Each structure stands twice: as C-alpha cells, then as structure tokens.
C-alpha cells in the first residue's frame, strides 16, 4: 500500500479543522449564547440536531441524550448565514378571524369538515384546526425538500425524530424514555391499532375502555380480534374513574389491556395523579398492559397539568404503551404522524417487527417526521399562542352554551372539544344533529354509540378550534335551532 507523506496530512487536517471551527463559530454567533438557567431554556436548547444539524445549548444533565455523531450533522446542509437570516415570527395575530382561509379549507379540510359540507354550512365537527400550521414547520419542510431527496427512512423512524420525541416528553411531561423506545407511526390512530394487535393475541382477549370515549378504542380492539368491556364515566360523578367498577370488569386470564385517554375525548378530563395511580395499581396487580392515548397532551388548560401514566414510575412505565400525535396541538392531521413509546427497548423492537415496518409495508413519510421534529423543536411559541386562543374560545363557548335554555356544559380541562348535555330536549342526538344541519346550516357531532359508545347518549360534541367569528356564528345557529326544539 502506498504511504501518504506525513507532511501533506497536517495541512489537510488543519484546513478541515479550521473549516469546522469556523462553521461552529458562525453558528454560535447566529444563534446566540444560551443562558445556563434551566428555568429559561430556549426552544431548541438541548435538542439533538436542533434545526437539523446544530444545537444552541447544552444537553440536559437530568435527561441525557444519545450522542449524535458529527457525520450525521447537519441533517440538511444549511449555511450559518441562512440560520442568522431566518425570520423571527410573531404569532399574536395568527389566530385572528382573518387568519382562517375558508376557501382553502373548503378544498382541503375533509373528515366531516369544510370540504364535505355545503358552502353555507359552518362545521364545528372533527377535532381539527381551522388555522394554518406554524410557519416554522412549513419552513423546515421546505428546507428538507430543497435537499432534493425523498429516500426511504428507517423502519422505526428517523433517529432525529426518535431523539426529539424522547427528549421533549422527558422535558415537558416528565416521561423518562429513550430514543430506542420511540416508534414513528402513521398517525396516533394507527398507533392504537398497532398496540391492540400486539397485545390482544388470543381469541377472546379482553380490553377495558371508557364509556364514553373516542370510537377508535373500540374499533382497534375489534380489529385485533378482541372483546371490549366498558367502564362508565358518569356525569353525575364528575366523570371520575370508579376504581371499584374498574376492578369488577377485570377477568384474570382474559383481560389483557386497560386503555385510557388522557386528556379524554370527548369529556375533556385531564386525569389527576391519584386517579392514574389507582389505574396503575390495578394494572400491576392483575398483570395488565396499559394503553394510554395522549394525543391531546399538548392541549391542557391552566391550572391543570398533563401527567403521563407511564411517568408514575419505572414499574408502571414498563407496562405502558404511550401514544402521542401532532394533529391536535400542531394541526398536522394531514401528515399522518404519531408515535408510540413502548414499555422497553425490547418490546419496541418486537412491535416494530410485527408492524411490518421492516418490510416497508408500514411506515411514516420522512417529510412528516421532519414536520414533527420542527413542531417540538421550533414551534413552541406558536403552540403557546394557539393554546391561549383555545382557552379563550373554550371560556366563551362554555358560557354561551350554559346560557342556552335546556343545555348544560362542563368546562373541559383539556382538548378543544365540548360535550354539552342536550337530554332535556327529549330528542335523539342524531336526529337533532340532522335537523340542525338541514334547517340552520351548522354541522356538529352526535353523542351516539357510533362515535363514542352508549354512554354518550343525550350529548352532542363540537370543536372550538376555529376563529372567534366562526365559533360565534356557529353557536348563534345552534341557539336558534335549539329554540325550535324547546
């Protein structure tokens, strides 16, 4: 083998080193020096490959991250000057009435919403946002596309996505997990099906679900060949979890899965620590797996705080599949992106294998994962402004509904849906919804078994993730219609 003259190596190595140092120096100047105070951590501090290839702070000492090799950075080759010149967005006006583009929504917003309703209908139906997504997310996707390649990604998800999700859940919710427990899924809905199929392996295996609750819990169990047992959440009891009633549903040897929705759709409950501890204690005592759907965890109103059940402790965490998503808190429903945090790395590997992701028969677009990374790393200020808008919308809508004769509506602690009680009208909720649509041109969701289970009877559901003007118009139409039924 021909030897390389040693004197030639030094200048080559020195030049390469100087280029790296120059790049890092320029980047540090562009992003600024981070504060050491953990109470004021910048949006991207500590993230691996923050904004795809650089970080502006130190990794958290409490939640250490895997080291990202230099050759993996930058995720997209961006000059420091481009970073420095990126706009700083002011989100204060992004949720005004004029921010809602009804023309585009009527072209793109499906699933019971604008695109499938007549032009004169106000849809307060599916739990999806009427606002454009955060500009930081759009810019991140544009930068990724500018690279020119849309290649296959890893079966379990991009490493940057896994690391970002793990870090964010630790930092934001106290859920201690590692990147090798995170599985990028084709939506949070798909994640429920993946977990049900993984856990319910024998004919007749049973899963306990709440009643009422989103229909996906029931359908995912049935798709896996399982049977459901319903735990009533009673309005007159404040929709609390009755531990005795829950234990009575458990059949040793048959019950395999205990599912919770936190925050709860459609009730808006954010489960308290004591309630979660009671659920966890029963699951551990009877050897049950826990499925915790936390797709709404980004929409929680003060003074409430979201606590993942898996964050209660290591023993509980090792029995829990936690599901997260980006559709509710960031308006990314069309990108079909979710994540499962498995109980252990070994279970994660088995789950990925059984999903057929290793065979490319299942998986998530890399572009969607880029959007998810940007949401967690860069869109925090947008998300906080959105949450503040939603809290105002919630307070306004609850007040309006409770002022309507025959209607009672509790104030949700999380989610952006309301579940008013309309039982006093003595009319089936589906019939009411149909008449309101036909006569008053407002679309709502009935509290029917089809959507939420038998416990939803006597209710309707509406979303307030829209502008104040559209919400007011929809509530005006609802109030006018209810006067006819009264």
């Amino acid at each position: 083998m021909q030897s390389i003259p040693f004197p030639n190596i030094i200048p080559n190595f020195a030049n390469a080193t100087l280029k790296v140092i120059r790049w890092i120096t320029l980047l540090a100047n562009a992003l600024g020096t981070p504060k050491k105070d953990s109470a004021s951590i910048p949006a991207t501090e500590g993230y691996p490959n923050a904004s795809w290839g650089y970080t502006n702070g130190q990794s958290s000492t409490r939640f250490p991250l895997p080291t990202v090799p230099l050759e993996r950075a930058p995720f997209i080759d961006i000059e420091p000057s481009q970073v420095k010149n990126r706009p700083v967005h002011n989100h204060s006006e992004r949720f005004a009435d004029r921010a809602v583009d009804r023309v585009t929504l009527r072209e793109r917003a499906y699933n019971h919403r604008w695109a499938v309703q007549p032009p004169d209908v106000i849809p307060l139906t599916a739990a999806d946002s009427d606002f454009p997504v955060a500009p930081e997310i759009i810019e991140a996707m544009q930068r990724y596309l500018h690279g020119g390649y849309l290649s296959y990604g890893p079966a379990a998800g991009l490493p940057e996505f896994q690391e970002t999700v793990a870090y964010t859940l630790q930092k934001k919710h106290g859920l201690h997990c590692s990147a090798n427990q995170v599985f990028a899924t084709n939506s949070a809905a798909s994640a429920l099906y993946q977990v049900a199929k993984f856990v319910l392996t024998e004919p007749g295996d049973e899963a306990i679900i709440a009643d009422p609750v989103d229909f996906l819990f029931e359908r995912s169990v049935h798709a896996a060949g399982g049977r459901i047992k319903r735990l009533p959440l009673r309005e007159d009891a404040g929709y609390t979890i009755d531990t005795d009633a829950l234990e009575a549903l458990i059949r040793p040897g048959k019950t395999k899965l205990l599912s919770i929705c936190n925050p709860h759709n459609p009730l808006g409950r954010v489960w308290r620590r004591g309630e979660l501890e009671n659920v966890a204690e029963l699951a551990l005592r009877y050897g049950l797996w826990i499925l915790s759907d936390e797709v709404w965890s980004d929409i929680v109103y003060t003074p409430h705080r979201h606590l993942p059940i898996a964050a209660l402790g290591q023993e509980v965490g090792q029995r829990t599949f936690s599901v997260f998503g980006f559709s509710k808190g960031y308006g990314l429903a069309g990108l079909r992106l979710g994540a499962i945090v498995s109980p252990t790395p070994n279970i994660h590997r088995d789950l990925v294998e059984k999903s057929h992701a290793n065979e490319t028969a299942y998986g998530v677009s890399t572009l969607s994962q880029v959007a998810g990374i940007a949401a967690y790393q860069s869109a925090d200020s947008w998300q906080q402004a959105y949450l503040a808008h939603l809290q105002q919308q919630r307070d306004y809508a609850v007040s309006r509904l409770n002022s309507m004769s025959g209607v009672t509506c509790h104030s949700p602690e999380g989610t952006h849906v309301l579940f008013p009680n309309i039982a006093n009208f003595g009319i089936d909720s589906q019939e009411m919804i149909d008449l309101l649509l036909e006569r008053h041109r407002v679309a709502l969701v009935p509290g029917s078994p089809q959507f939420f289970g038998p416990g939803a009877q006597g209710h309707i559901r509406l979303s307030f993730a829209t502008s104040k003007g559209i919400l007011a118009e929809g509530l005006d139409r609802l109030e006018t219609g209810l006067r006819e039924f009264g």
Side-chain angles (χ1 to χ4, degrees), residues 138-408:
I138 295 172
E139 291 161 6
M141 295 173 72
Q142 289 172 335
R143 293 196 300 272
Y144 186 81
L145 289 171
H146 185 70
Y149 291 94
L150 291 171
S151 303
Y152 286 110
L158 294 171
E160 293 82 1
F161 177 79
Q162 295 174 296
E163 292 160 2
T164 298
V165 168
Y167 175 80
T168 302
L169 297 181
Q170 291 170 9
K171 176 186 173 186
K172 192 172 182 179
H173 301 305
L175 176 54
H176 293 262
C177 60
S178 60
N180 60 2
Q181 290 172 257
V182 176
F183 180 20
T185 60
N186 180 19
S187 75
S190 169
L192 300 183
Y193 280 72
Q194 291 291 338
V195 173
K197 182 176 67 173
F198 185 82
V199 172
L200 306 173
T201 57
E202 300 294 330
D205 279 352
E206 294 178 354
I208 298 174
I209 67 173
D211 183 25
V213 76
D214 186 280
F215 67 89
L216 289 169
F217 284 86
E218 177 181 358
R219 295 188 189 180
S220 61
V221 170
H222 286 163
R227 299 176 57 194
I228 60 166
K229 295 288 186 177
R230 300 184 190 273
L231 174 67
L233 300 176
R234 294 169 41 213
E235 189 169 4
D236 59 1
Y239 296 123
T240 56
I241 296 175
D242 185 331
T243 308
D244 293 334
L246 174 58
E247 186 171 14
L249 293 174
I250 299 173
R251 294 204 302 162
K254 296 299 291 182
T255 307
K256 300 293 178 61
L257 184 63
L258 201 169
S259 298
I260 61 174
C261 186
N262 184 27
H264 188 282
N265 173 25
L267 302 178
R269 276 298 317 277
V270 175
W271 304 115
R272 307 293 190 269
R273 176 180 288 272
E275 293 173 304
L276 294 174
E277 288 175 342
N278 291 337
V279 170
E281 192 276 328
L282 285 175
L284 293 176
R285 188 195 312 170
Y286 289 98
L288 307 181
W289 293 104
I290 301 171
L291 168 59
S292 183
D293 177 7
E294 307 188 22
V295 71
W296 289 98
S297 58
D298 295 306
I299 308 295
V300 175
Y301 306 111
T302 55
H304 306 286
R305 291 180 62 86
H306 175 70
L307 174 65
I309 192 169
L312 293 177
Q314 184 177 12
E315 191 177 10
V316 181
Q318 291 181 346
R319 300 294 301 179
T320 303
F321 295 88
S322 302
V323 172
F324 296 88
F326 297 81
S327 58
K328 309 309 179 189
Y330 297 93
L332 303 183
L335 292 180
R336 315 307 296 144
L337 177 64
I340 299 172
V341 178
S342 291
T344 67
N346 286 338
I347 291 175
H348 162 79
R349 285 192 292 272
D350 289 344
L351 181 64
V352 173
E353 179 68 30
K354 291 179 180 179
S355 74
H356 302 289
N358 287 329
E359 304 154 25
T360 70
Y362 181 83
V364 186
S365 158
T366 54
L367 185 61
S368 296
Q369 294 176 68
V370 167
I373 296 168
Y376 276 171
Q377 290 188 3
S378 307
D380 199 49
S381 62
W382 181 94
Q383 208 276 330
Q384 291 304 310
Y386 181 44
L387 187 61
H389 170 76
L390 290 177
Q391 188 152 352
Q392 293 176 350
Q393 293 281 90
R394 178 202 65 173
D395 295 344
Y396 167 73
V398 169
S399 177
R400 282 287 309 270
L401 287 164
N402 282 320
S403 71
M404 299 179 191
S405 178
V407 179
T408 57

Side-chain angles (χ1 to χ4, degrees), residues 407-485:
V407 179
T408 57
C409 183
H410 70 278
S411 183
E413 301 160 349
T415 79
H416 54 62
V417 296
L418 299 174
F419 202 56
N421 187 318
I422 46 86
N424 288 331
F425 291 95
I427 182 173
D428 177 74
S429 64
Q430 183 64 63
E431 183 180 356
M432 174 181 283
I433 292 301
D434 292 341
L435 290 172
L436 287 168
L437 178 61
E438 177 185 351
R439 298 177 184 176
H440 300 282
R441 317 311 284 165
V442 59
L444 305 168
V445 179
S448 64
Q450 173 189 358
F451 288 103
F452 306 110
Q457 293 177 352
H459 295 78
I460 58 176
R461 196 195 75 170
L462 60 91
S463 170
F464 52 87
T466 187
S467 68
K468 176 69 176 294
I470 291 174
L471 179 61
E473 186 177 352
L475 292 174
D476 288 345
R477 297 183 185 192
L478 171 61
E479 186 170 17
T480 301
L482 290 179
R483 290 196 192 104
E484 293 182 4
F485 304 131

